[in-house]
């Protein structure tokens, strides 16, 4: 398949180009699009044949359900029902934005989206191109991250081209994403909401709005095998570069570099000396934006080992830690 690369400036969106990509979605094709979190691989959520193409292009197991992306509340009513007051509060505060809510689904949502579940993950992305595209297609859009299965999520169109060129109808190049890791996922269908995946919205921000929320065990221990894979994605190894990833919890960076002289390292520590193999990142938001990019870049350069220096568990640090732990072969 010949994959069209469509360059769109998010600050001056070309309606002609958006209409073209929207027409592909209406025809049941799969297209990659930028969102504020990571690039997504979108198709008409109401068309099972179109959705099947997403799984095929990514090489993704079909027991892992997809998030549906919407642009307004009318579309929400089409796909989700019995929405709790807490869910409404979260939507009001964080939509459009990097928050996915698991809600009871309507009959309209095909089984292939939800892997046969009675719930559906929904989010309204905070990205001008994504919103314009969904509005123009006038369809709810199913979209996982636009990487091949097992690879880090893409934060620039070049990553998507590397993974999916030749496998999908079009890729929108809309520049780099703002956040760099995926949305926060909360299951709103149990009595106490459950954080299933930490992401762009922090646990602290959620707690401020709805108070009590429980944290699924896999959030802080993503490497433990889950008996009951609540978010089915949890059971798969994810976000892995080819390089070995070593996360530092107790060991100093200096010591770790002595142990692994061929490694490169990334660190939030102001006092470290930047060197060819050691990169300093000034804060957690920058680290979120850089981490998947850094993993991909290391693979391009055939780096065998990546050391990630200590990350505080607060704020978006919790989300970054979750991703790094998923990729890590060792925590020392
Ligand atoms: O930021 C994001 O969320 C990106 C952008 C493209 O929107 N999308 C994304 O999709 O990260 P994906 O497919 O890579 O991750 C979605 C996760 C999966 O782990 C899946 O298991 C979970 O959401 N999920 C989807 N529907 C679910 C449901 N009904 N119940 C529980 N988990 C669900
Ligand atoms: Mg993904």
């Amino acid at each position: 398949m010949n994959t069209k690369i469509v360059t769109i400036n998010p600050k001056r969106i070309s309606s002609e180009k958006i209409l073209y990509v929207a027409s592909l979605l209406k025809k049941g094709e799969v297209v990659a699009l930028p969102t504020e979190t990571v690039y997504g691989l979108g198709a008409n959520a109401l068309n099972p044949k179109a959705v099947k193409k997403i799984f095929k292009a990514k090489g993704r197991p079909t027991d892992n359900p997809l998030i549906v992306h919407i642009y307004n509340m009318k579309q929400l009513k089409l796909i989700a029902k019995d929405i709790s007051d807490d869910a409404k509060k979260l939507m009001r505060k964080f939509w459009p934005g990097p928050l996915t809510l698991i809600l009871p689904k309507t009959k309209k949502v095909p089984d292939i989206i939800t892997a046969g579940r009675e719930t559906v993950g929904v989010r309204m992305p905070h990205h001008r191109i994504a919103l314009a595209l969904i509005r123009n297609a006038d369809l709810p859009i199913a979209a996982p991250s636009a990487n091949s299965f097992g690879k880090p999520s893409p934060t620039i169109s070049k990553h998507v081209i590397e993974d999916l060129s030749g496998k999908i109808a079009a890729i929108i190049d809309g520049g780099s994403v703002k956040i760099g890791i995926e949305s926060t996922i909360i299951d709103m269908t149990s009595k106490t909401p459950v954080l299933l995946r930490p992401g762009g919205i922090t646990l602290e921000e959620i707690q401020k709005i709805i108070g009590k929320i429980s944290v699924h065990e896999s959030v802080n221990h993503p490497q433990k095998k889950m008996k009951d894979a609540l978010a089915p994605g949890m059971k798969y190894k994810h976000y892995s570069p080819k390089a070995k990833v070593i996360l530092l919890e107790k060991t100093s960076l200096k010591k770790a570099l002595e142990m692994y002289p061929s490694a490169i390292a990334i660190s939030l520590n102001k006092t470290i000396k930047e060197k060819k193999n050691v990169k300093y990142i000034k804060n957690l938001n920058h680290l979120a934006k850089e981490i998947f990019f850094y993993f991909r870049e290391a693979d391009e350069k055939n780096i065998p080992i990546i050391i990630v220096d200590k990350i505080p568990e607060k704020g978006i640090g919790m989300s970054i830690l979750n991703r790094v732990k998923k990729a890590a072969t060792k925590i020392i």
Side-chain angles (χ1 to χ4, degrees):
M1 181 183 275
N2 175 24
T3 303
K4 279 246 164 65
I5 312 295
V6 183
T7 304
I8 300 179
N9 178 349
K11 292 198 181 112
R12 276 192 60 225
I13 295 183
S14 147
S15 49
E16 195 186 329
K17 290 179 180 174
I18 286 287
L19 282 171
Y20 167 68
V21 182
S23 76
L24 294 173
L25 287 170
K26 285 190 196 168
K27 273 194 270 183
E29 294 296 341
V30 174
V31 305
L33 61 143
T35 82
E36 80 280 34
T37 56
V38 299
Y39 271 75
L41 190 59
N44 175 1
L46 304 179
N47 176 348
K49 266 197 197 145
V51 175
K52 220 178 244 172
K53 292 183 190 168
I54 294 179
F55 287 95
K56 183 151 180 256
K58 272 189 72 117
R60 176 177 172 125
T62 48
D63 62 348
N64 194 3
L66 303 178
I67 296 170
V68 179
H69 297 65
I70 57 170
Y71 83 96
N72 67 8
M73 292 315 219
K74 200 173 144 207
Q75 280 192 316
L76 175 68
K77 289 205 186 103
L78 193 68
I79 57 171
K81 62 179 184 188
D82 305 334
I83 295 164
S84 67
D85 289 340
D86 276 350
K88 284 180 191 155
K89 278 189 206 160
L90 290 172
M91 290 169 191
R92 248 177 259 135
K93 178 73 187 174
F94 298 114
W95 279 6
L99 178 67
T100 296
L101 300 176
I102 307 296
L103 303 167
K105 80 172 194 82
T106 64
K107 286 204 188 89
K108 289 248 186 226
V109 182
D111 277 347
I112 186 163
I113 295 278
T114 65
R117 286 153 194 264
E118 285 308 311
T119 58
V120 62
V122 189
R123 117 173 167 88
M124 191 186 285
H126 189 44
H127 193 287
R128 296 187 60 199
I129 294 175
L131 288 172
L133 188 63
I134 305 169
R135 190 176 62 241
N136 278 281
D138 200 21
L139 293 166
I141 299 296
S145 48
N147 50 289
S148 303
F149 179 64
K151 283 238 209 156
S153 292
T155 55
I156 53 172
S157 65
K158 182 178 143 235
H159 299 158
V160 185
I161 293 168
E162 281 162 9
D163 285 13
L164 298 170
S165 187
K167 298 182 175 166
I168 58 177
I171 296 171
I172 297 181
D173 175 2
S176 67
V177 301
K178 192 165 153 250
I179 295 175
I181 56 176
E182 305 86 344
S183 63
T184 299
I185 304 180
I186 304 178
D187 183 354
M188 300 304 297
T189 63
S190 54
K191 212 165 172 198
T192 304
V194 185
L195 177 69
L196 297 180
R197 179 177 78 182
I201 302 283
T202 66
L203 179 62
E204 294 90 333
E205 287 174 287
I206 304 283
Q207 282 165 333
K208 258 194 216 154
I209 305 300
I210 59 168
K212 200 159 177 255
I213 168 167
S214 56
V215 175
H216 195 274
E217 197 195 350
S218 67
V219 167
N220 295 314
H221 306 282
Q223 284 172 311
K224 265 196 205 163
K225 274 242 161 68
M226 288 292 125
K227 273 184 267 138
D228 143 51
L230 191 56
M234 291 168 178
K235 70 183 180 204
Y236 298 109
K237 193 170 152 70
H238 255 173
Y239 316 110
S240 335
K242 279 179 259 155
K244 281 201 174 117
V245 175
I246 298 172
L247 172 63
L248 304 186
E249 243 174 35
K250 297 195 183 86
T251 310
S252 73
L253 182 56
K254 186 164 174 276
K255 177 119 186 279
L257 283 167
E258 282 164 15
M259 289 163 72
Y260 303 101
S262 60
I264 58 166
I266 194 165
S267 177
L268 289 161
N269 183 346
K270 273 194 214 82
T271 67
I272 61 146
K273 276 200 208 89
E274 262 211 279
K275 289 189 222 137
K276 217 171 78 192
N277 61 334
V278 181
K279 184 169 184 170
Y280 165 67
I281 303 279
K282 67 179 175 196
N283 62 39
L284 282 171
N285 286 333
H286 278 86
L287 184 59
K289 196 170 163 174
E290 287 281 328
I291 193 77
F292 288 148
F293 188 92
Y294 190 70
F295 284 174
R296 288 216 179 220
E297 201 182 45
D299 277 353
E300 251 171 50
K301 296 183 186 155
N302 284 313
I303 304 277
I305 301 172
I306 303 168
I307 297 170
V308 181
D309 200 1
K310 297 174 191 69
I311 300 172
E313 224 169 286
K314 62 172 195 297
I316 202 163
M318 181 191 211
S319 315
I320 305 168
L321 267 173
N322 170 269
R323 306 307 190 270
V324 175
K325 283 180 183 170
K326 278 187 182 180
T329 43
K330 259 191 202 162
I331 302 176
I332 59 173

